[in-house]
Amino acid sequence: MEKTFAIIKPDAVAAGYSGKIIDRIEKEGFKIVAMKKIWMTKKMAEGFYAVHKDKPFFNDLTTFMSSGPSIVMILEKENAIADWRKLMGATNPANAEEGTLRKEFGKNIDNNAVHGSDAPETAAQETRYFFADIEMV
């Protein structure tokens, strides 16, 4: 079984979509290994997205991610990373396929409802950023 990291972002939490997104996750066969609701500080968001620190959208992204509560999760299933990315859809909801989470719940490229790891190494790093071993069941 493969694990991946996922976030229901502040825009989707504020809009009340968390339950619907979690329901879709489970219906798609993912096991939620760990989950918690957090409110990232700006510093936490900057650390999490440090790979993008030199990009022009970094400040807006970290400000957004620290603007309200989000839900962080570890998901598990065969091909978890690829399957989660497919379920999320394209980064820009306008380009996302019908039936994807970003198409259904995202507003725009900045407020696109969910985040997911893009590789096993990233998933491991992102998981460790938010979860201790004791929180994974």
Side-chain angles (χ1 to χ4, degrees), residues 5-99:
F5 178 77
I7 300 176
I8 301 175
K9 293 181 177 183
D11 58 314
V13 172
Y17 297 143
S18 301
K20 291 178 181 178
I21 293 171
I22 292 166
D23 186 52
R24 284 287 303 284
I25 289 168
E26 292 183 327
K27 283 182 178 171
E28 294 290 330
F30 290 93
K31 177 183 175 189
I32 299 173
V33 176
M35 177 171 63
K36 59 186 171 182
K37 190 174 193 178
I38 64 166
W39 192 325
M40 279 188 238
T41 63
K42 176 84 164 161
K43 187 173 184 168
M44 283 175 68
E46 288 171 348
F48 183 73
Y49 287 104
V51 67
H52 299 301
K53 68 182 175 195
D54 296 326
K55 297 183 180 158
F57 60 82
F58 180 73
N59 186 59
D60 289 344
L61 173 62
T62 56
T63 298
F64 164 65
M65 289 302 293
S66 60
S67 70
S70 57
I71 296 174
V72 293
M73 298 172 283
I74 301 169
L75 308 178
E76 180 181 76
K77 77 179 276 200
E78 293 290 333
N79 302 308
I81 294 169
D83 287 357
W84 175 239
R85 294 190 67 75
K86 183 176 179 182
L87 180 59
M88 285 192 308
T91 303
N92 186 343
N95 300 331
E97 290 183 29
E98 290 297 327

